[in-house]
Amino acid sequence: MGSAEVSRREFVKSAAAAAAAAVVPGAAIARGAWAGGTESIRIGVIGCGGRGTGAAINALEADPATRIVALGDLFADRVESSRKHLAEAGEFGDRARVSPERCFTGFDAYQRVLEAGVDAVILATPPHFRPAHFAAAVAARKHVFMEKPVAVDAPGVRMVLEAANAAGAAGLCVVAGTQRRHEASYLAAMQRIREGALGRIVSARCYWNQGGLWVHRRKPEYSDMEWQVRNWLYFCWLSGDHIVEQHVHNLDVVNWAIGSHPERCLGMGGRQVRTGEEYGNIFDHFTVEYVYPGGEHVMSMCRQIEGTSPRCEEVIHGAQGTAVLRPGSARITGAAEWRFAEKNNNPYVQEHADLLAAIRSGRPVNEARQVAESTLTAIMGRMSAYTGQEVTWEQALQSEWRLGPETYEFGDLPVDEAPVPGRTRLL
Amino acid sequence: MQYAAVLAAGSLAVAAFAEADGAPPPGGFTQAVPGAAATIEMVPVPTPDGAGTIWMSSTEITWDVYDVFVYGLEEGEKGSGGADAVTRPSRPYIPPDRGYGHAGHPAISMTAHGAQEFCRWLSERTGRRYRLPTEAEWEHACRAGSDGAYCFGDDEGALGQFAWYSENAEGRTHPVATKAPNAWGLYDMHGNVAEWAIGADGKAVTRGGSFMDGAAGCRSGAREVPTRAWNASDPQVPKSRWWLADAPFVGFRVVCEAGESSKGPEPEGDDGQR
């Protein structure tokens, strides 16, 4: 029944497996101050909303010698509420107490956090800012936990890929918030798929269809910039649209199962129900067909429309069987029938446990490239749906379609029109 | 079908027509829900002291009805009433049905707060007094006159005729009222989903076990006290007051008592930041 306890023994064991899988060949083994030790790891949080604060708590739960030492956010009220929730979380005592002089606000708060004597950072701002924050964290030689998605456009993905290589060369550890990669049910299923339980993979389907999410309504005192960042889900330049912000989880699982990113796609979508100003300029539904290098065809569907049938899962079809995967549940039918019947872990704690164990062991884990590829998988689907054109991986990767303002300041910021397939041009 | 006779007997206890809102008809009634195609069947059950009658939904509340509350699907419908006193649940980031099935399946994963706010909303919308059952009411209704371990006696071997539990449920919820009802026309009191009820101390517990529990966990006396583990993997802080990330086995049914609904105290505001 879903207890979240992740025992130290369990997490060290699975962290070793995860680290072994993702070790960069030939990378220097960083024998840091922690190798085999139990000294404190000092963590800064960049982006102090509900998820950033939640991730900080998860890191405290994952390893008894972590401390949250600095907080940064665009908004003072967010930093303050995060500081309060951490202090009030109770069982962590001083490990969760951040002094006011280590709390930073503004567009450059991330730099102040990186300079605040931290060993690792949690990157949990709206996705638009992730590439710059990740690059800066790597340049400052910090270990990184970064939420998904890791970019909203191709220029951002290229920046993440470049920083991923730099992180590898420096022996830094990077874990992404695609938590299914750390979830016991998914790991058990993927192991079976690797061992041939489905035979050759021939196709897949993945879904994130649900109702709507929170909306942050505009207040008179907000500038355009403040309102958009607070209501970031609905502005493509900030979230990447829901296919990138949310459906990236499912696309990541498909890439994981097939062992590759797609080579081309054809998508469609629209903005049919959420048409009000508070919903910015994103779509409310997408369907994309992806084609992978081995000829595997993948059908992807995502929708955020209320009163519609929900579905959130990945289905992997092989020549000899089918796997249906959902959080906490995995089932294989066909030649090698199997169902996940063990106790699941809490993947939101496990991802930090795996990161922190890798830091301590000196055997770097680096998930930056895989999550960048999954992010671009979603972005190329969006590009295809927005324009109505078929899009190849190379087109997507080399795209100069950059989203968002050139500089960041509170003030006027007109909202781009929602895209119109057939008229919106592929850039 | 083997249970056809039992099913028919159960539904005979229910007046199969929609009543205008007002005092509950003694023989039971069909509660229409603004914004929902589905209705709620309410059957009379004696109070534990035997002195009175309350009406209990013959099934667990389904998504067909709970979705209307969550998403405000009744807004704008004629007769939907003012929305001022209604607090809506936060929008869940994952489909809370867990892929077990939606239409016709019991709504799951809601906190006791969510279930209670649903009752407040339903009362507002219908003019009747809906609430969660007390533990005493729930157990009395579950037993339906039986003093055995189950509503039908002590034979565990018969449980599969009445309940979706770990032996037959295949790890998921099932559409409500697809097993036999008890003697008072109540379905799925054992199993399918564990149901919120209010204890003597005023705190919510769950009763009756779920699709995840074995036979012993589905007895008339089975109860569980919620713990932090039921929402441990909500990745947001503060954690949701509306949804339980790790309790897909929890649902509820409602009771209605005589009298008209009165507007209760204003509910607490929600920060909307889930």
Side-chain angles (χ1 to χ4, degrees), chain A residues 1-2 4 50-51 53-54 78 85 91 148 208-210 212-214 216 245-246 306 310 312 326 339 346 348, chain B residues 71 91-95 97-99 102 170-171 213 224 228-229 232-233 235-238 246 249 272-274:
Chain A
M1 289 231 229
R51 182 74 272 268
T53 309
R78 285 306 205 172
H85 284 300
E91 68 259 46
K148 44 44 65 176
W208 198 315
N209 297 341
Q210 63 156 61
L213 296 174
W214 55 260
H216 209 107
E245 198 281 321
Q246 190 172 57
E306 305 191 340
C312 182
R326 298 185 200 121
R339 188 167 122 195
N346 178 345
Y348 299 99
Chain B
Y71 297 119
R91 303 295 201 253
Y93 191 81
I94 59 165
D97 70 4
R98 301 305 181 91
H102 206 76
E170 299 188 318
D213 291 304
E224 267 200 277
R228 282 182 61 179
S233 75
Q236 302 273 326
V237 169
D246 305 294
F249 47 86
Q273 288 302 305
R274 304 262 17 118

Side-chain angles (χ1 to χ4, degrees), chain B residues 161-188:
Chain B
Q161 298 173 39
F162 293 84
W164 294 108
Y165 68 121
S166 63
E167 293 301 307
N168 62 4
E170 299 188 318
R172 61 184 178 88
T173 64
H174 288 261
V176 298
T178 49
K179 292 288 184 180
N182 71 11
W184 294 352
L186 301 166
Y187 296 89
D188 301 307

Side-chain angles (χ1 to χ4, degrees), chain A residues 215 227-228 231-236 271 274-283 415-418:
Chain A
V215 178
W227 179 54
Q228 290 177 33
N231 194 33
W232 61 270
L233 284 177
Y234 303 103
F235 300 96
C236 190
R271 178 181 165 89
R274 292 194 305 200
T275 54
E277 183 204 46
E278 67 272 34
Y279 298 115
N281 58 2
I282 67 167
F283 279 10
V415 179
D416 291 336
E417 295 275 310

Side-chain angles (χ1 to χ4, degrees), chain A residues 158 243 270 387-388:
Chain A
R158 293 195 296 270
I243 187 175
T387 61

